[in-house]
Amino acid sequence: MFKNVFGSGFIVRTAHVILTWLITLILFLHDTDLRRQEETGELIQPVLFVLLVLVSVLLSFAVSLMDPGFVLSDRGDLQFTLGITEETQDMIPPTTKSLRLRRCGHCLLQQPMRSKHCQTCQHCVRRYDHHCPWIENCVGERNHRWFVLYLAVQLLVLLWGLHMAWSGFTTATTWQLWLRGNGVLLGAAAVVALLSLTVLLLLGSHLYLVSLNTTTWEFMSRHRISYLKHCGADENPFDRGALLNLWGFFCGWGSVVWEQVYFREGNDPI
């Protein structure tokens, strides 16, 4: 279920942890609301902030180490795993859609629909979304919802940290004195502001794509994907409506047989 902690993403994870706790330490060392509340014995917000930072770090580790949905075998019962038998295949009428199973040219395994081979991870990934250098792992069927949750928690931590940094700026008679007293905090606030904008854009784009039941790979490379080539510009064979898409993404567990969704009633039914 989980990858090696000391794998290729060890440096990325270590840098993330160091940066996270370094900025947290800066917020507590300067005269921010966190420090003032800590000194006066009002520990609710400082404790909650530290716990939220810890949760964000743990989520980043979980998402980066989790199996994103690697296709690891080419079993003889693959057709039953996909929900496709010879009888079912014969029942599919001739349509403009193709159900041909693709064999990966790299790992030589048959790819379920919506899967893609990742050149970095060297595996095919079910319901492949993208390979994220931030977590040094693919985002796929098994860890996508956890990735979105991680982004949401991370955004909350960053916005809270930015507010705390703003509360710690002090006044001075000259710019030189102001920079001398607030330079470190200003640098931390700039990093947090940049990361906040990045995470906000990532979270917004992922929630938008999830509401459409499409992936980053399908959205960006639609014209090169065999099962989407025949579809119109605004047609998505996996779209079940925004509410059902969001419900299935966040509350549905287990693998979805996308071939069945692809040929569901109203979309060239079986």
Side-chain angles (χ1 to χ4, degrees):
M1 181 179 179
F2 290 95
K3 297 160 60 179
N4 184 359
V5 177
F6 300 100
S8 60
F10 177 73
I11 296 178
V12 175
R13 289 189 288 272
T14 302
H16 175 262
V17 171
I18 292 175
L19 181 62
T20 298
W21 290 111
L22 179 61
I23 292 177
T24 302
L25 183 62
I26 291 173
L27 293 177
F28 273 95
L29 290 178
H30 283 73
D31 190 27
T32 62
D33 285 347
L34 288 175
R35 181 173 178 177
R36 288 192 287 268
Q37 291 174 6
E38 181 187 11
E39 290 175 345
T40 58
E42 301 175 14
L43 299 179
I44 295 180
Q45 285 200 45
V47 170
L48 285 178
F49 182 77
V50 172
L51 286 178
L52 197 61
V53 171
L54 181 60
V55 169
S56 72
V57 171
L58 292 178
L59 278 174
S60 71
F61 269 84
V63 174
S64 64
L65 298 176
M66 189 180 295
D67 177 356
F70 292 138
V71 181
L72 299 177
S73 65
D74 195 9
R75 299 174 299 172
D77 63 343
L78 177 63
Q79 59 192 26
F80 298 100
T81 302
L82 296 176
I84 304 170
T85 62
E86 291 182 2
E87 291 80 3
T88 304
Q89 182 70 43
D90 292 338
M91 292 172 61
I92 300 176
T95 68
T96 57
K97 296 182 177 181
S98 173
L99 193 59
R100 181 176 61 86
L101 292 177
R102 297 169 298 151
R103 185 169 293 277
C104 177
H106 300 276
C107 55
L108 303 180
L109 297 176
Q110 283 188 323
Q111 295 177 324
M113 186 171 283
R114 308 191 80 181
S115 64
K116 181 183 181 296
H117 185 87
C118 175
Q119 297 286 1
T120 305
C121 294
Q122 291 300 309
H123 285 295
C124 288
V125 179
R126 295 179 183 274
R127 197 183 165 278
Y128 176 87
D129 189 86
H130 72 290
H131 182 90
C132 180
W134 194 349
I135 61 173
E136 196 57 39
N137 193 14
C138 280
V139 175
E141 181 181 76
R142 291 187 179 180
N143 67 346
H144 196 172
R145 64 167 60 87
W146 296 106
F147 180 73
V148 172
L149 177 61
Y150 161 64
L151 290 178
V153 173
Q154 187 72 68
L155 180 61
L156 181 59
V157 171
L158 289 168
L159 292 178
W160 195 352
L162 190 60
H163 173 71
M164 290 298 107
W166 182 265
S167 71
F169 289 125
T170 58
T171 59
T173 56
T174 64
W175 278 105
Q176 289 78 7
L177 291 176
W178 188 89
L179 287 174
R180 186 178 301 174
N182 299 283
V184 175
L185 189 60
L186 179 63
V191 172
V192 171
L194 179 61
L195 291 176
S196 298
L197 179 60
T198 303
V199 174
L200 177 62
L201 293 175
L202 277 173
L203 179 61
S205 63
H206 275 276
L207 289 176
Y208 171 72
L209 293 177
V210 166
S211 70
L212 299 177
N213 200 351
T214 190
T215 64
T216 302
W217 171 55
E218 290 171 343
F219 183 78
M220 300 295 293
S221 304
R222 181 185 183 91
H223 61 287
R224 295 192 289 110
I225 300 175
S226 59
Y227 56 83
L228 294 178
K229 282 183 177 180
H230 71 279
C231 298
D234 298 325
E235 181 185 356
N236 177 13
F238 307 112
D239 186 9
R240 294 171 286 188
L243 290 179
L244 284 179
N245 291 338
L246 291 169
W247 175 265
F249 180 81
F250 288 106
C251 303
W253 297 93
S255 298
V256 177
V257 183
W258 293 111
E259 287 80 0
Q260 293 180 354
V261 177
Y262 188 73
F263 283 97
R264 73 188 187 278
E265 186 176 354
N267 247 356
D268 295 328
I270 293 177

